[in-house]
């Protein structure tokens, strides 16, 4: 293993599956030699959303870099903004909506596993 330093601006932003105006960048992952975790950056443009879904065996640790958004966590909707951290246990339904006029950016760290299952709970 070797240390890795990357500029986020040079990492491809891909559309999020089933998302609207939502993009993902894998900042550090298996291709960089990271053995245990994957660090991703999400961007939700104004009006952007990621529909309700869950991951049966994967936890998420998130940190909001900029903006403000609503996050569904189980049966509760929380408004989160820059500087706040969010923990989502495995098998917890969650969704994201940016109703504001500014983009939202957040980091999401997940464990590296052999399978990453997503169960979509809405279209």
């Amino acid at each position: 293993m070797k240390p890795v330093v990357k500029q986020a601006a040079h990492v491809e932003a891909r559309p999020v599956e089933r998302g609207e105006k939502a993009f993902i960048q894998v900042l550090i992952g298996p291709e960089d030699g990271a053995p245990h975790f994957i660090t991703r950056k999400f961007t939700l443009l104004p009006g952007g959303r990621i529909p309700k879904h869950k991951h049966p065996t994967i936890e998420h640790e998130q940190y909001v870099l900029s903006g403000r958004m609503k996050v569904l966590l189980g049966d509760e909707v929380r408004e989160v903004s820059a500087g706040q951290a969010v923990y989502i246990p495995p098998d917890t339904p969650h969704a994201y909506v940016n109703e504001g006029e500014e983009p939202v950016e957040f980091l999401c760290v997940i464990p590296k596993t052999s399978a990453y299952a997503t169960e979509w709970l809405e279209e």
Side-chain angles (χ1 to χ4, degrees), residues 1 10 16-17 39 44 49-50 56 60 74 85 88 101 103 113-114 120-121:
M1 289 185 277
H10 298 144
V16 173
E17 179 183 1
T39 301
L44 290 178
R49 67 185 294 270
I50 300 173
H60 289 50
I88 304 173
E101 297 180 14
T113 63
S114 58
W120 294 98
L121 303 172

Side-chain angles (χ1 to χ4, degrees), residues 70-84:
K70 290 185 178 175
V71 180
L72 171 74
L73 299 167
D75 294 328
E76 183 180 1
V77 175
R78 299 285 302 268
E79 187 166 298
V80 298
S81 59
Q84 291 186 296

Side-chain angles (χ1 to χ4, degrees), residues 16-85:
V16 173
E17 179 183 1
R18 298 195 188 193
E20 298 171 18
K21 299 181 183 180
F23 301 90
I24 182 174
Q25 296 169 279
V26 177
L27 300 181
I28 301 291
E31 65 281 352
D32 300 301
H36 302 293
F37 299 97
I38 301 170
T39 301
R40 308 169 310 165
K41 179 181 168 195
F42 285 83
T43 302
L44 290 178
L45 299 177
R49 67 185 294 270
I50 300 173
K52 185 163 71 168
H53 62 287
K54 65 181 182 174
H55 310 281
T57 61
I58 304 292
E59 68 184 74
H60 289 50
E61 296 178 4
Q62 301 176 337
Y63 180 76
V64 183
L65 298 166
S66 64
R68 178 181 301 276
M69 67 180 164
K70 290 185 178 175
V71 180
L72 171 74
L73 299 167
D75 294 328
E76 183 180 1
V77 175
R78 299 285 302 268
E79 187 166 298
V80 298
S81 59
Q84 291 186 296

